[in-house]
Amino acid sequence: MLFMAVSLAVSAQTPQRVPATPYPIEVVQPDSTVLTIRLHGDERGHFTTTVDGYTIVKNRKGYYCYARVGCKGRFVATCRVARDAADRSAADIKYLEKMRRNPKLYRELR
């Protein structure tokens, strides 16, 4: 009887959301370069950014790439591989001038 009461009490609890770590994480890209990323959200909704706020997603080859919002409102990888700010080429910087930083956060804050 006691076992049933305890199991009912445990199963009735609402699961708690676990937020992503607030600290930057270093990941290794397939070409052995290191990229520092930040995780945002929890298990229900989450996304990844560079430290300076550009949304990134992994492509099919396993690279973190800068993301854009696709036709269904989801993030899709662009052809440009993400780099830390200090490692970006002039072409990367010019490309990023056209992108908004972290469009999902801007959408959620409105």
Side-chain angles (χ1 to χ4, degrees), residues 45-88:
H46 53 276
F47 59 99
T48 309
T49 65
T50 59
V51 173
D52 57 344
Y54 290 101
T55 304
I56 55 176
V57 295
K58 270 191 177 181
N59 68 9
R60 292 179 185 198
K61 295 181 180 179
Y63 285 91
Y64 279 99
C65 296
Y66 299 107
R68 64 177 177 78
V69 178
C71 60
K72 294 184 180 179
R74 294 186 179 167
F75 289 123
V76 294
T78 63
C79 60
R80 183 76 55 173
V81 173
R83 306 270 179 226
D84 283 337
D87 299 330
R88 292 180 187 144

Side-chain angles (χ1 to χ4, degrees):
M1 191 68 129
L2 180 63
F3 175 76
M4 284 180 52
V6 170
S7 62
L8 282 174
V10 170
S11 65
Q13 292 181 3
T14 308
Q16 299 295 316
R17 293 185 185 180
V18 179
T21 179
Y23 306 107
I25 300 169
E26 288 186 346
V27 295
V28 179
Q29 299 271 51
D31 65 357
S32 299
T33 59
V34 176
L35 175 66
T36 307
I37 65 172
R38 284 191 182 271
L39 306 175
H40 302 272
D42 57 31
E43 66 274 1
R44 289 188 179 190
H46 53 276
F47 59 99
T48 309
T49 65
T50 59
V51 173
D52 57 344
Y54 290 101
T55 304
I56 55 176
V57 295
K58 270 191 177 181
N59 68 9
R60 292 179 185 198
K61 295 181 180 179
Y63 285 91
Y64 279 99
C65 296
Y66 299 107
R68 64 177 177 78
V69 178
C71 60
K72 294 184 180 179
R74 294 186 179 167
F75 289 123
V76 294
T78 63
C79 60
R80 183 76 55 173
V81 173
R83 306 270 179 226
D84 283 337
D87 299 330
R88 292 180 187 144
S89 67
D92 290 334
I93 294 168
K94 186 170 180 123
Y95 180 82
L96 290 174
E97 286 174 357
K98 299 174 188 172
M99 295 186 74
R100 285 184 10 194
R101 291 180 196 212
N102 201 344
K104 186 168 186 173
L105 268 185
Y106 286 118
R107 209 173 341 141
E108 289 178 358
L109 293 175
R110 288 185 190 172

